[in-house]
Amino acid sequence: MQTIRDVAAMAGVSDKTVSRVVNGEPNVSAKTRERVEEAIAALEYIPNMGARLTRTNRSGVIGLITDVVSTTPNSVDIIRGIQDRISTEKQSLLIANTSGTREEEQRVWRTFQEHRIDGVLFATMYHRHITFDPPKPAMPTVLVNCTAEGRDDVPAVVPDDYQGGQAAAEFALDAGHRRIGFVTLNPLILAARLRGQAFEKTMQERGVTIRRDWIRSGYAGGVGEERICAFDVARDILSAPAADRPTVLLAGNDEIAMQCLFAAHALHLRVPDDVAIIGFDDFQKISAQVFPR
Amino acid sequence: MQTIRDVAAMAGVSDKTVSRVVNGEPNVSAKTRERVEEAIAALEYIPNMGARLTRTNRSGVIGLITDVVSTTPNSVDIIRGIQDRISTEKQSLLIANTSGTREEEQRVWRTFQEHRIDGVLFATMYHRHITFDPPKPAMPTVLVNCTAEGRDDVPAVVPDDYQGGQAAAEFALDAGHRRIGFVTLNPLILAARLRGQAFEKTMQERGVTIRRDWIRSGYAGGVGEERICAFDVARDILSAPAADRPTVLLAGNDEIAMQCLFAAHALHLRVPDDVAIIGFDDFQKISAQVFPR
DNA sequence: TTGAAAGCGCTAACAG
DNA sequence: CTGTTAGCGCTTTCAA
């Protein structure tokens, strides 16, 4: 593998001059620059980021820590967005999963430190609070989809779940529905709480009665180990006689929405005539492929 | 950030001795080793992989190139498997997407070269042939889910789609079905061809008539830009009178299977009584959440 | 078992 | 505009 010195020798300049060309620094004559670039091309020279790191303390790598984010549908879009932006910056992305375990998380931070990562994005699957305890010395970190409890010094990017819950409720109300059910996310999750609050507030403001027995969780079990049970729950709610069942079901996400749809099918209810269903999150693999759309 | 020399000074040894301890090399007395380890802990020393790279030519990083793999359901499992194995080896994984474009692919290879990646995994979304044209000097590469045309020097891990197609056909036949439809993947894809061949061969061997008009693609468009149309295709096939429609539909994947299911619903056919549906690939987000299971 | 010297490929700091 | 010197943090080589 060729080094900067090989290039310098071929172009008849010093290695520092080659360095200037490679890094796009000023103060190189057009002529010299051209000669150097020819040599680079001829020798197929590729700079060694590791060696550069020893002098600059900038590795050119951004680290992404995910809990289990890369398994969820919208997480793909998060990663995409990050990648698009990072490639603009001549940086690379080092992705690591923690599988949600404390132990793996420590390992990952260490790996990042070993590679002298320039910065870290810490992303979670659900919008939630985390206990954020990175090792020192600290690397610049931004939280994605989560907030660190008791730490207002860490920047975070989070969705506006409250607004989302409000929008869903208003959409149902504006469509004329008054008997509204809600198959929610795991209520232990922050996103579920925020959306739930927004739902209730909106219903109250509009003067529409909230039926507590129509608000039920589509997941059973603790955070991270929940099992979806939306089908059973929705079937239960929809089993009532027509006069005593909701005319629309809000769903905590599109997974739940799909199960509501199947529950309606199982009960021979027509969608959306007998019961309408409103999804959440726009999981492409579901929202784009379910009938009715 | 502490260096190996800081540790050496604190432990009262040479930096080379610290290096030996850090790398688990022999020829260090237990006593010395202990002193060094104490110093490492006290100073929170973390080795600099970049600096190490300049001497060893081993970066400790494996690169993963995906076309659009991280968007498909089973790709998640591929990445998981790779990560699990790599963490065993004290290596890290650098993931990069090419979005299927040639240009991005070149950029990615270059990034890997700059970081002196130890080896590359090149994974595709569909099982298919690729034109494999990595830059030189070559890095050790293994293909995942694809094979390089005209190159038998590149190791590859691929699924046995032929066997899969055979298994699906036999399952249907063993269940007593004789009128068998098949909503396939994009027939341009290798996986689709192999499964198709296996299907036809199996049907012939069992002496069951193949109805060409019941074998149709669930996707329209070229590879990589296809649009799913399985719902329409399945509805079309299933619209025939009971005596002239298949009693079972094989699906090219679970996305297609789900659309077949919705098509059956739309026609008020009972699944599996009127028509059975056999999925493929086990996309968890679908297979585990669809009713009937 | 340990360490001294040299050098990996690169860039910072400075001089010309 | 260009080059020289020094040195980043580590490992290799070889001597002790």
Side-chain angles (χ1 to χ4, degrees), chain B residues 208-231:
Chain B
V208 177
T209 312
I210 296 173
R211 281 279 298 262
R212 295 288 160 191
D213 53 330
W214 289 349
I215 303 180
R216 291 173 55 187
S217 173
Y219 292 92
V223 176
E225 50 187 30
E226 50 264 286
R227 191 178 46 74
I228 192 164
C229 60
F231 180 84

Side-chain angles (χ1 to χ4, degrees), chain B residues 65-122:
Chain B
I65 301 180
T66 65
D67 49 354
V68 278
V69 83
S70 60
T71 67
T72 82
N74 41 7
S75 69
V76 171
D77 295 320
I78 293 177
I79 294 179
R80 273 259 185 73
I82 292 170
Q83 263 173 338
D84 287 352
R85 187 63 170 75
I86 277 177
S87 56
T88 297
E89 305 288 330
K90 304 206 285 186
Q91 300 258 342
S92 314
L93 188 63
L94 186 55
I95 304 179
N97 273 73
T98 66
S99 312
T101 69
R102 212 69 187 161
E103 192 188 359
E104 268 298 299
E105 196 180 314
Q106 297 303 327
R107 251 177 42 86
V108 165
W109 278 107
R110 181 179 169 88
T111 301
F112 283 3
Q113 311 227 73
E114 287 176 347
H115 289 282
R116 301 299 190 266
I117 296 289
D118 292 333
V120 176
L121 295 166
F122 189 105

Side-chain angles (χ1 to χ4, degrees), chain A residues 32-52:
Chain A
T32 307
R33 186 179 299 273
E34 195 181 337
R35 269 219 317 290
V36 170
E37 274 164 355
E38 278 169 21
I40 287 174
L43 295 173
E44 298 185 324
Y45 166 71
I46 294 180
N48 182 328
M49 301 301 259
R52 176 180 293 173

Side-chain angles (χ1 to χ4, degrees), chain B residues 239-259:
Chain B
S239 293
D244 191 42
R245 68 172 182 240
T247 58
V248 61
L249 285 181
L250 307 193
N253 62 23
D254 281 349
E255 237 167 68
I256 293 175
M258 183 170 74
Q259 300 224 336

